[in-house]
């Protein structure tokens, strides 16, 4: 074996070593919990005594729960609101940052700052913002003569308030991804559009969006998957209230497992959520492939 061949073998072994480490971590922390959840959903298991196979009893119990359908409804509404707010705001922020000529690096840092904060810190910060007495948002409303709102204590505003928190927490990562995609667009395309008399909106519609179509499609899928699993916001801000207005599937799953001690019921909910997301992902990818071959 010559020197060049040995060097290639060593390089490949190193690459495969790193790849095996990533695959082992992925299998242990992702695939194993998913497979374990499938078995758990068909068992009565408290992780103390031996598990008992109960078939579909856990699913029947979950379906009979009065919070089951409100949890799915709230999760769907949260996802739709997050698409309207949390999907468009980062893209708009990226467009604005991309057009700036000064203080761009500083503004990138400011936009990305919420991502660097622990989620619990961000949620607690907004808990003070939403305080019905001395909260920042109600103080701002009072400055303009608007009566204070019960942000988290009203079923009409609680879910929207959670969407605002989620959008702020994830704004930075989405903005930087979009900004990276925008900076790959050749400047000649914008120059040609300007020569044709295209305004800002026409350049956005005919140049920016088509050139970032792939990343927009991927981010839409990731957005839906992430928001369908929302947990920390209702857990720390509302506890699912008021009147189950912010109970989500992930939060209900937590309640079954750690509040009720029914790990089988929590596993059943998790399996249903996983199946819904898998079906959505398959259908979405197939439709996207047909529309954009």
């Amino acid at each position: 074996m010559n020197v060049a061949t040995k060097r290639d073998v060593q390089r490949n072994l190193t690459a495969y070593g790193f790849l095996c480490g990533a695959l082992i971590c992925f299998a242990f922390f992702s695939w194993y919990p998913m497979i374990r959840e499938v078995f758990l959903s068909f068992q009565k298991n408290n992780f103390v005594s031996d598990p008992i196979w109960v078939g579909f009893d856990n699913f029947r119990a979950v379906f009979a729960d009065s919070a089951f359908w409100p949890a799915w409804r709230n999760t769907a509404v949260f996802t739709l609101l997050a698409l309207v707010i949390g999907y468009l705001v980062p893209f708009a922020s990226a467009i604005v940052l991309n057009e700036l000529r000064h203080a761009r690096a500083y503004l990138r840092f400011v936009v990305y700052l919420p991502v660097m904060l622990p989620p619990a810190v961000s949620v607690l910060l907004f808990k003070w913002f939403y305080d019905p007495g001395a909260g920042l948002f109600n103080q701002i409303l009072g400055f303009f003569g608007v009566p204070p709102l019960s942000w988290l204590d009203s079923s009409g505003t609680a879910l929207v308030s959670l969407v605002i928190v989620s959008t702020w927490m994830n704004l930075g990562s989405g903005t930087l991804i979009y900004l990276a995609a925008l900076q790959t667009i050749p400047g000649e395309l914008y120059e040609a559009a300007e020569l044709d008399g295209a305004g800002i909106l026409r350049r956005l519609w005919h140049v920016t969006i088509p050139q970032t179509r792939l990343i927009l499609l991927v981010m839409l899928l990731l957005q839906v998957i992430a928001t369908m699993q929302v947990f920390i916001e209702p857990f720390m801000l509302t506890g699912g209230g008021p009147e189950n207005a912010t109970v989500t599937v992930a939060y209900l799953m937590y309640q079954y497992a750690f509040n009720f001690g029914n790990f089988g019921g929590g596993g059943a909910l998790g399996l249903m959520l996983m199946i819904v997301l898998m079906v959505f992902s398959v259908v979405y990818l197939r439709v996207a492939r047909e529309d954009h071959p």
Side-chain angles (χ1 to χ4, degrees), residues 141-180:
L141 293 179
F143 178 80
F144 291 101
V146 180
L149 295 177
S150 300
W151 296 93
L152 301 176
D153 298 326
S154 171
S155 58
T157 58
L159 201 59
V160 178
S161 301
L162 299 188
V163 173
I164 295 174
V165 178
S166 178
T167 301
W168 186 81
M169 290 169 55
N170 300 287
L171 175 65
S173 56
T175 299
L176 291 188
I177 292 173
Y178 289 132
L179 185 60

Side-chain angles (χ1 to χ4, degrees), residues 72-92:
W72 282 100
R73 183 188 66 244
N74 294 336
T75 301
V77 173
F78 183 94
T79 302
L80 292 176
L81 291 174
L83 287 178
V84 174
I85 301 175
Y87 182 66
L88 297 179
V89 170
F91 188 59

Side-chain angles (χ1 to χ4, degrees), residues 25-273:
C25 291
F26 186 77
F28 185 77
F29 292 104
S30 296
W31 285 103
Y32 172 73
M34 286 191 292
I35 296 172
R36 186 71 180 87
E37 181 184 48
V38 174
F39 287 99
L40 185 64
S41 63
F42 295 99
Q43 295 175 343
K44 182 179 180 181
N45 193 341
N46 56 10
F47 293 103
V48 177
S49 56
D50 294 334
I52 301 173
W53 192 266
V54 295
F56 289 95
D57 288 353
N58 290 325
F59 293 90
R60 298 188 187 98
V62 167
F63 271 111
D65 192 338
S66 60
F68 177 77
W69 292 113
W72 282 100
R73 183 188 66 244
N74 294 336
T75 301
V77 173
F78 183 94
T79 302
L80 292 176
L81 291 174
L83 287 178
V84 174
I85 301 175
Y87 182 66
L88 297 179
V89 170
F91 188 59
S93 301
I95 293 176
V96 172
L97 287 177
N98 192 52
E99 294 296 326
L100 294 177
R101 294 294 178 265
H102 303 286
R104 182 186 296 181
Y106 170 74
L107 292 175
R108 286 180 190 172
F109 170 77
V110 171
V111 171
Y112 195 73
L113 182 61
V115 181
M116 295 187 287
L117 295 176
V121 174
S122 299
V123 172
L124 291 176
L125 178 65
F126 269 84
K127 192 171 185 178
W128 172 70
F129 288 168
Y130 288 136
D131 187 276
L136 177 64
F137 289 159
N138 278 339
Q139 290 185 18
I140 295 174
L141 293 179
F143 178 80
F144 291 101
V146 180
L149 295 177
S150 300
W151 296 93
L152 301 176
D153 298 326
S154 171
S155 58
T157 58
L159 201 59
V160 178
S161 301
L162 299 188
V163 173
I164 295 174
V165 178
S166 178
T167 301
W168 186 81
M169 290 169 55
N170 300 287
L171 175 65
S173 56
T175 299
L176 291 188
I177 292 173
Y178 289 132
L179 185 60
L182 290 173
Q183 291 179 347
T184 63
I185 302 176
E188 294 81 3
L189 296 178
Y190 289 108
E191 293 176 2
E194 290 180 1
L195 292 175
D196 291 337
I200 296 177
L201 294 180
R202 289 184 61 188
R203 293 199 300 270
L204 174 65
W205 183 256
H206 294 287
V207 178
T208 305
I209 293 179
Q211 291 294 316
T212 58
R213 179 180 58 193
L214 179 60
I215 194 65
L216 287 171
L217 292 174
V218 173
M219 290 296 288
L220 176 62
L221 178 61
L222 296 178
Q223 174 86 3
V224 172
I225 293 175
T227 53
M228 285 286 288
Q229 302 177 73
V230 59
F231 168 73
I232 188 171
E233 291 88 348
F235 174 71
M236 295 191 65
L237 287 176
T238 62
E243 299 177 353
N244 288 336
T246 57
V247 171
T248 61
V249 176
Y251 181 72
L252 187 61
M253 180 169 50
Y254 167 85
Q255 284 188 312
Y256 265 93
F258 298 102
N259 289 350
F260 309 150
N262 186 352
F263 290 94
L269 274 170
L271 180 58
M272 284 187 279
L273 180 60

